[in-house]
Amino acid sequence: MEIRLAASEDVEQLFELENSCFPDPWSRKSIRDTMNEEQSFFAVAVSDGKIIGYINTTYVLDEMNLNRICVLPQYRRMGAANLLMDAMFAAARQNGLVQIFLEVRLSNMPAQELYKRFGFTVVGERKGFYQNPPENGLVMTAMVNNA
Ligand SMILES: CC(C)(COP(=O)(O)OP(=O)(O)OC[C@H]1O[C@@H](n2cnc3c(N)ncnc32)[C@H](O)[C@@H]1OP(=O)(O)O)[C@@H](O)C(=O)NCCC(=O)NCCS
């Protein structure tokens, strides 16, 4: 498995990945627009030439926001998300960022376990943050140097 930066040719596969992983997938346009933002870090996990996971982040000033991370169901628990998170922290360090924020569904225990492993702690809860289905979101944050 290798981790590399995402490229515009990956948009279709990333759209399919979004649809396999989320009830509220990002559109092709949102994926493309965010990837093209200067202050974004998009990386993909590739296995046998196929994109099996990705991480989607944006940053402003010294703060990064982790927008999405996902791995195809049949490739989970093989360490892909760990590698994508490592790549995100490396990019954050390279860009001199200080802190990373994210939101996660209250019921999403696999993701919360992943985030805790990387030093994220809960700092707030946003009522009705998610739709499809409606759910509260936890706000989690980690310092970049603590990873
Ligand atoms: C969350 C997700 C990205 C994890 O991907 P993954 O490649 O399976 O994760 P890894 O194999 O790298 O696991 C890393 C760590 O995360 C935690 N973890 C991952 N899946 C878990 C699960 N089902 N239950 C508990 N902990 C879990 C563990 O701490 C794990 O370390 P371990 O395997 O040594 O115990 C994946 O489950 C996913 O795509 N979920 C759907 C999309 C999503 O909810 N994304 C997050 C919100 S944007």
Side-chain angles (χ1 to χ4, degrees):
M1 194 185 312
E2 66 149 336
I3 305 295
R4 64 160 172 80
L5 289 179
S8 49
E9 309 84 80
D10 299 328
V11 169
E12 194 56 39
Q13 276 195 78
L14 294 179
F15 178 66
E16 285 167 20
L17 200 64
E18 276 279 327
N19 277 277
S20 304
C21 291
F22 296 107
D24 53 349
W26 279 35
S27 66
R28 292 179 181 85
K29 182 178 180 338
S30 301
I31 294 169
R32 193 178 303 107
D33 288 352
T34 309
M35 188 190 293
N36 289 338
E37 271 181 39
E38 198 179 324
Q39 298 203 312
S40 67
F41 173 73
F42 257 67
V44 293
V46 181
S47 176
D48 291 331
K50 177 179 164 175
I51 294 178
I52 56 113
Y54 96 120
I55 192 161
N56 158 345
T57 77
T58 43
Y59 48 95
V60 177
L61 300 176
D62 59 8
E63 285 179 6
M64 183 175 255
N65 198 73
L66 170 50
N67 303 317
R68 289 291 217 201
I69 180 168
C70 67
V71 173
L72 283 176
Q74 60 272 37
Y75 290 90
R76 287 183 190 161
R77 298 313 292 261
M78 296 178 185
N82 267 334
L83 294 175
L84 289 165
M85 294 287 287
D86 281 341
M88 173 185 73
F89 272 97
R93 263 184 235 109
Q94 268 169 20
N95 286 286
L97 307 181
V98 172
Q99 200 168 356
I100 305 177
F101 286 88
L102 60 84
E103 287 91 15
V104 60
R105 283 184 183 268
L106 205 54
S107 64
N108 192 346
M109 296 319 291
Q112 287 173 39
E113 287 302 318
L114 170 70
Y115 299 146
K116 280 187 211 153
R117 202 185 153 105
F118 280 84
F120 283 85
T121 55
V122 175
V123 289
E125 184 167 339
R126 294 198 174 141
K127 287 212 163 43
F129 184 76
Y130 291 100
Q131 281 134 26
N132 296 330
E135 191 172 355
N136 289 359
L138 293 178
V139 182
M140 298 182 82
T141 189
M143 302 307 287
V144 171
N145 285 329
N146 287 346

